[in-house]
Amino acid sequence: MTKNRIGIDVGGTNIKFALVSPKGEILYSNSTPTRSEMGYEYTVNNMKQAIITLMEETNSSKANVEGIGFGFPGQIDYKNGIVKHSTNIPGWNNVSITDIIEKEFGIPTRIDNDVRVATLGELNYGAGKGCDNLVCITVGTGIGSGIVINGKLVRGASNTAGEIGHIKLFANGEKLCGCGDYGCLEAYVSGPSIVAMAEEYLKGGKSTKFREMAENGEITPYIVAKAAEQGDGVANMIFKFMGEYLGTGLASVVNLLNPERIIIGGGVAACGDLLLKPTKEALMKRAMPVSAEAVEIVPAQLGNNAGVIGASLLIES
């Protein structure tokens, strides 16, 4: 009998849990606060309790749950089941989460980076279905990505493959990236980048809709996107620049990997064609013609469910 699996998507604010069928259907889902400020042991106990609740409410047991999978932000030792370091969740350094969960529940447990996990979900049940070679990126606070070559998820020698956000756009770039270097794609394309560019235009005295729309004077990527949709010239220019930067970075990815599809998700990518149109134009202009013609850029399909669905697949990936 084919068994269900548990998928867990760990975020800086909330942790999402789901019971997932062998067909990728979510049979049950719930969430619990991460509360990282309380320390990793507090969060682990919350995770354990959430798994117990899920199993009770779905009448599940270790006899009919094939495995538990975690998607976790940061640097992950996939082979040994260790969270090496998480920049978004302080205190998670060298935590052997798979050992902790397996000892508690007696169910095989796996862990991987959250974006690679989302890539697995999209590959099997979302925008990547039917593809053998694809790249899945998320554009939000930063840029994360997962790579699939010949149908297999690429992890790399130290489980850090896919750091597309740290492709160098400019050898002597002026913008400092969170990694400590200058000129990275992520320093130019992200939610904070949109806000920074919007604030620069305001300092220059530009009249914009997003200044009027901002509550308490706070500019957000969402407000800039809404202003662009309403025809604001400055807001549209910001997304044009973002798309050109992203397309230029992805041109290097296309030249190197020759994927048939690039899937774009994440909070900023939810802006749709505001970002995707200039991205496609820049990629077609800058990538090698044969590789550019072979690739299509599409939005992600699974949304917030990609993480739990993909995590549930780790047990067999």
Side-chain angles (χ1 to χ4, degrees):
M1 181 180 68
T2 307
K3 300 178 182 179
N4 297 322
R5 306 178 194 92
I6 296 172
I8 302 170
D9 185 14
V10 182
T13 304
N14 291 296
I15 304 170
K16 187 174 181 179
F17 299 78
L19 185 67
V20 184
S21 79
K23 296 181 179 179
E25 302 163 328
I26 294 179
L27 306 175
Y28 168 94
S29 67
N30 209 337
S31 65
T32 187
T34 307
R35 296 295 302 274
S36 58
E37 75 278 5
M38 300 294 289
Y40 83 88
E41 291 180 343
Y42 178 93
T43 304
V44 168
N45 286 332
N46 270 3
M47 290 176 176
K48 290 178 180 178
Q49 186 55 53
I51 293 171
I52 291 169
T53 300
L54 178 152
M55 295 179 73
E56 287 177 349
E57 295 193 6
T58 59
N59 293 318
S60 299
S61 68
K62 68 177 184 179
N64 55 25
V65 173
E66 185 176 8
I68 299 172
F70 284 81
F72 211 102
Q75 298 172 0
I76 307 301
D77 182 345
Y78 166 80
K79 292 181 180 178
N80 295 304
I82 299 171
V83 180
K84 301 292 288 183
H85 176 67
S86 177
T87 53
N88 294 329
I89 309 180
W92 283 75
N93 297 302
N94 296 312
V95 178
S96 301
I97 189 66
T98 56
D99 285 347
I100 293 170
I101 298 301
E102 285 183 347
K103 286 177 183 177
E104 181 74 20
F105 296 99
I107 298 173
T109 302
R110 301 288 183 272
I111 183 172
D112 208 339
N113 173 269
D114 55 350
V115 183
R116 280 201 291 271
V117 159
T119 300
L120 271 180
E122 293 287 350
L123 171 67
N124 286 274
Y125 300 109
K129 197 171 181 180
C131 288
D132 288 324
N133 300 280
L134 65 82
V135 176
C136 180
I137 75 169
T138 57
V139 185
T141 304
I143 294 180
S145 71
I147 299 169
V148 174
I149 300 294
N150 296 329
K152 298 291 184 182
L153 193 64
V154 176
R155 293 188 170 93
S158 56
N159 298 293
T160 59
E163 290 289 354
I164 287 172
H166 301 290
I167 286 176
K168 305 307 175 203
L169 281 186
F170 303 102
N172 299 303
E174 296 179 354
K175 291 192 176 185
L176 177 65
C177 180
C179 72
D181 200 2
Y182 290 85
C184 297
L185 176 63
E186 186 173 295
Y188 292 83
V189 183
S190 65
S193 299
I194 291 173
V195 173
M197 193 176 293
E199 290 176 344
E200 286 177 13
Y201 275 110
L202 291 180
K203 288 177 183 176
K206 294 287 186 182
S207 177
T208 66
K209 285 184 179 293
F210 54 77
R211 183 203 292 270
E212 302 167 9
M213 297 166 64
E215 295 182 8
N216 302 318
E218 183 182 358
I219 304 296
T220 66
Y222 176 79
I223 287 174
V224 178
K226 285 299 178 185
E229 289 172 358
Q230 293 178 27
D232 182 84
V234 173
N236 273 289
M237 184 62 69
I238 290 171
F239 277 97
K240 183 175 184 294
F241 281 134
M242 289 289 140
E244 288 177 354
Y245 289 140
L246 182 57
T248 299
L250 289 178
S252 296
V253 175
V254 167
N255 290 342
L256 178 66
L257 300 177
N258 189 207
E260 60 201 279
R261 195 168 295 167
I262 295 175
I263 301 167
I264 302 182
V268 175
C271 298
D273 281 344
L274 282 173
L275 181 68
L276 295 185
K277 187 174 184 292
T279 297
K280 292 175 183 178
E281 291 172 352
L283 187 150
M284 294 302 293
K285 179 181 178 181
R286 296 183 177 275
M288 298 291 286
V290 173
S291 298
E293 290 170 5
V295 69
E296 59 178 336
I297 299 179
V298 300
Q301 289 183 0
L302 298 182
N304 292 331
N305 290 329
V308 290
I309 292 173
S312 75
L313 298 170
L314 286 175
I315 204 66
E316 61 180 6
S317 65

